[in-house]
Amino acid sequence: MDNGDKSWMNLLRWTDEYIRGVNDFLDKAFERAAQGNKILCPCKKYMNRYWYYRNVVEDHLVVHGFVDGYTKWVFHGEGFSSRNTHHPSNDDESSTMRDDIDGLLHDTFRNIEGRAGDEEGVGERLSEDAKKFFKLLRKENKSYIRGVKISVPESFNKARNMITNLGLHYEKMHACPNDCMLFWKENANADNCSICGSSRWKSAGPLTKASSKIPAKVLSYFPLKPRLQRIFMCPETAVAMRWHANERPNDGNIRHPADGKLGRLLILWTQTSLEMLEMLDWPEYIMLSMIIQGPSSPGNDIDVYLRPLIEELKELWETGIDTFDAETNQTFRMRAALMWTVSDFPTLAMLSGWSTKGRLACPTCNYDTCSQYLKHSHKMCYLGHRRFLPRDHPFRRDKKSFDGKEEHRPTPAPLSGEEVFEELLEFNNIFGKRAKKRPRSDKGQWKKRSIFFELPYWVHNKLRHNLDVMHIEKNICDSLLGTLLEIDEKRKDHEKSRYDLQ
């Protein structure tokens, strides 16, 4: 079904052209999206929620008309995956369509769920995880066939069980209140931190029963593997996951991570292995990874809480996990790699281990950072930005507009992953709030060896950490507006700055 002329949907409903359009719609809908002899009724009254026979749907559409904004018939076989398919924007009238989450879930998974139970041999190709998933969908599907909307689980335990069966559960892991370690794996049954000795439990009087113990700090971890598997349970999203391999133009332009140097390197590693190229997937979904309990950021100790995620990423790269692809109707070995991190400037220090404070704060210039302390403003000022201009740029020879000197120094060379790994090979990480501070002269700006270097490909990554442009633009905008509008405590043009300029 394509995006043909649908202007007839806006005509008076008793006209011959409107009725012809309705019958054409019904022909295509029953050909591509029928459940037995029924389809979801898209009229204003039932809004794609209930299943009816053809004559009933036709009557509803003539009497009530189509639901407002339903100009892309996604519930009736008009696919998402076509490259020419129009994706509605905020300005499209389709954006006013009412939410129908349960109907959307049912329609999305209906076809694959039917194939998984009916086609010969399909059941054998499903992993146990996929069988559990489709079993849950079949159970909920019965209420739809009877014309009854899926109800919200009546208790917390039933809701939790449903979420768990969908592969969207989370795990609670106790943590040292001083961020030294997780009570996980070999330390799962310990009562005290092996580093600082702090109790795992809150001290709220004498405890007589183990069930009454309250953990001092909890990490809520959302496993990555089942969430990646869920993406392939829907045929439309499964197609989108392979767009980089099947439909991405190979014209030398960078429009996708696969076009970058790291993307080409990962693909090269894939092609030299025994796995299929399809194992390289590029999800564009936001997935919550963890919630760290507490009023403050863990800072440098975030590696303690990243441990479960790193373990999963290592397994996904080295071993992979069997995943059912609803579009190809096959089970394949899925692998995944972390390409980079995106954060603001303070968090970059937490993730990379390079301190973003002091004279050598710039992670790009590293040991060649050009800085000067402003004794009146009591802060560091970072200079030398003309070094990043082309060698023949006129600003490099402009003395008057800058510091009275020409700039002929080359652009600073960022530290490669190999250089960082070699420098921190013998680095002894010390985590926890009670840990002694490392002597300043020990490793300079390095505060730790990042846990990301445990990933086998991280050392070869050319761009390991990215800065979030949104935060940088916001801070610059605040400073400019505060200075131009002379907002107290926001402006940068004050008496101390004038002394520093002198």
Side-chain angles (χ1 to χ4, degrees):
M1 190 177 294
D2 55 32
N3 286 319
D5 181 20
K6 299 174 183 174
S7 59
W8 57 267
M9 296 176 65
N10 300 318
L11 299 176
L12 296 175
R13 295 193 295 276
W14 55 82
T15 61
D16 292 339
E17 188 175 354
Y18 178 84
I19 294 175
R20 283 197 300 271
V22 168
N23 281 282
D24 183 59
F25 161 79
L26 292 172
D27 290 341
K28 296 177 180 177
F30 273 91
E31 177 184 350
R32 304 206 178 185
Q35 180 82 2
N37 295 322
K38 298 180 180 180
I39 62 170
L40 289 169
C41 183
C43 74
K44 287 184 178 180
K45 183 176 180 179
Y46 295 105
M47 299 184 297
N48 291 310
R49 291 175 182 268
Y50 305 111
W51 299 82
Y52 290 105
Y53 292 106
R54 176 173 180 136
N55 61 329
V56 178
V57 176
E58 182 179 2
D59 290 342
H60 288 175
L61 292 177
V62 173
V63 174
H64 306 298
F66 283 85
V67 63
D68 292 339
Y70 191 49
T71 56
K72 182 178 179 182
W73 301 326
V74 295
F75 293 93
H76 299 89
E78 191 164 280
F80 300 113
S81 59
S82 173
R83 293 180 60 180
N84 297 322
T85 298
H86 170 67
H87 295 275
S89 65
N90 293 334
D91 298 328
D92 291 337
E93 60 182 2
S94 60
S95 64
T96 62
M97 182 176 172
R98 296 177 176 85
D99 291 333
D100 183 19
I101 299 301
D102 46 4
L104 178 61
L105 282 173
H106 180 270
D107 187 77
T108 299
F109 291 104
R110 179 186 67 251
N111 293 332
I112 177 58
E113 187 246 335
R115 292 203 308 269
D118 299 334
E119 284 190 9
E120 182 179 359
V122 173
E124 288 73 11
R125 292 198 293 271
L126 293 175
S127 64
E128 290 301 320
D129 182 72
K131 289 179 181 178
K132 183 188 297 184
F133 179 78
F134 291 125
K135 181 180 179 181
L136 176 65
L137 288 178
R138 280 195 296 273
K139 178 181 177 181
E140 298 297 338
N141 185 44
K142 293 178 182 178
S143 62
Y144 258 99
I145 295 176
R146 293 192 299 267
V148 181
K149 181 181 177 182
I150 294 177
S151 59
V152 176
E154 57 193 31
S155 68
F156 172 78
N157 287 333
K158 288 185 177 180
R160 182 173 59 183
N161 291 337
M162 177 179 288
I163 291 175
T164 300
N165 290 334
L166 286 171
L168 303 177
H169 62 288
Y170 70 95
E171 301 173 9
K172 285 189 175 182
M173 303 177 183
H174 298 174
C176 169
N178 295 315
D179 301 328
C180 301
M181 57 169 277
L182 291 177
F183 294 95
W184 181 55
K185 286 193 170 182
E186 66 273 8
N187 297 313
N189 298 321
D191 287 322
N192 296 90
C193 175
S194 61
I195 298 175
C196 70
S198 297
S199 174
R200 175 178 184 169
W201 315 102
K202 289 184 178 180
S203 56
L207 299 174
T208 56
K209 297 181 180 179
S211 59
S212 64
K213 293 182 178 180
I214 301 175
K217 196 167 188 177
V218 177
L219 166 68
S220 297
Y221 179 69
F222 300 81
L224 177 62
K225 291 183 290 186
R227 283 164 171 78
L228 291 178
Q229 287 177 312
R230 290 292 81 78
I231 297 177
F232 286 93
M233 293 294 186
C234 173
E236 306 298 341
T237 54
V239 170
M241 291 289 282
R242 287 193 304 276
W243 178 88
H244 74 282
N246 299 333
E247 298 187 59
R248 175 174 56 91
N250 188 14
D251 55 7
N253 296 320
I254 296 181
R255 58 170 53 85
H256 188 275
D259 295 317
K261 291 183 178 179
L262 179 60
R264 292 196 295 269
L265 181 60
L266 291 175
I267 291 175
L268 178 62
W269 286 345
T270 306
Q271 291 173 332
T272 55
S273 71
L274 297 178
E275 302 294 337
M276 297 173 60
L277 181 60
E278 284 185 350
M279 79 179 195
L280 275 176
D281 309 307
W282 310 87
E284 296 179 1
Y285 301 89
I286 296 177
M287 299 182 186
L288 182 64
S289 179
M290 64 187 69
I291 298 176
I292 303 173
Q293 188 186 76
S296 60
S297 167
N300 192 51
D301 302 324
I302 195 172
D303 285 19
V304 172
Y305 299 95
L306 289 174
R307 173 61 58 189
L309 177 62
I310 296 298
E311 292 293 327
E312 271 200 293
L313 287 171
K314 288 168 63 177
E315 182 179 349
L316 281 169
W317 176 256
E318 296 172 351
T319 307
I321 183 171
D322 288 337
T323 302
F324 181 76
D325 188 315
E327 200 275 330
T328 62
N329 201 22
Q330 294 179 346
T331 295
F332 72 104
R333 179 57 61 95
M334 177 181 65
R335 296 176 186 260
L338 175 67
M339 297 195 69
W340 47 59
T341 69
V342 182
S343 66
D344 59 8
F345 203 50
T347 307
L348 185 143
M350 295 166 49
L351 298 174
S352 68
W354 179 273
S355 176
T356 54
K357 298 179 181 178
R359 293 188 176 276
L360 305 179
C362 179
T364 300
C365 300
N366 46 77
Y367 297 113
D368 200 17
T369 300
C370 184
S371 60
Q372 181 178 341
Y373 182 72
L374 305 179
K375 65 178 182 179
H376 297 285
S377 299
H378 304 294
K379 61 176 64 176
M380 295 299 300
C381 178
Y382 302 96
L383 311 169
H385 302 100
R386 287 185 290 168
R387 292 185 295 170
F388 291 91
L389 295 173
R391 298 302 294 268
D392 58 348
H393 198 284
F395 279 4
R396 281 181 170 267
R397 300 185 297 275
D398 189 346
K399 298 180 181 180
K400 185 176 180 180
S401 302
F402 296 95
D403 58 359
K405 300 177 182 178
E406 292 187 2
E407 180 61 83
H408 297 291
R409 292 177 296 175
T411 302
L415 293 173
S416 67
E418 290 85 352
E419 291 173 325
V420 175
F421 182 78
E422 187 67 26
E423 182 172 353
L424 301 178
L425 191 59
E426 303 299 329
F427 196 95
N428 181 28
N429 286 337
I430 303 176
F431 295 123
K433 290 185 175 64
R434 295 185 180 180
K436 294 182 179 179
K437 291 186 177 181
R438 187 178 302 277
R440 181 175 292 273
S441 60
D442 188 6
K443 282 295 182 181
Q445 290 291 109
W446 292 109
K447 301 190 297 181
K448 66 180 178 183
R449 181 182 65 254
S450 174
I451 192 173
F452 292 110
F453 279 104
E454 294 186 14
L455 301 174
Y457 48 83
W458 197 253
V459 67
H460 306 292
N461 197 340
K462 302 297 182 182
L463 181 60
R464 298 175 296 281
H465 303 283
N466 291 270
L467 287 174
D468 183 357
V469 178
M470 178 187 68
H471 285 85
I472 298 172
E473 288 181 338
K474 184 262 183 186
N475 293 336
I476 293 176
C477 182
D478 285 349
S479 297
L480 286 175
L481 292 178
T483 301
L484 293 173
L485 301 178
E486 297 185 352
I487 301 175
D488 292 338
E489 298 182 359
K490 292 288 186 180
R491 58 185 182 141
K492 301 300 180 181
D493 184 14
H494 44 71
E495 183 180 359
K496 293 180 180 180
S497 66
R498 294 299 181 99
Y499 282 119
D500 287 323
L501 282 173
Q502 287 182 350

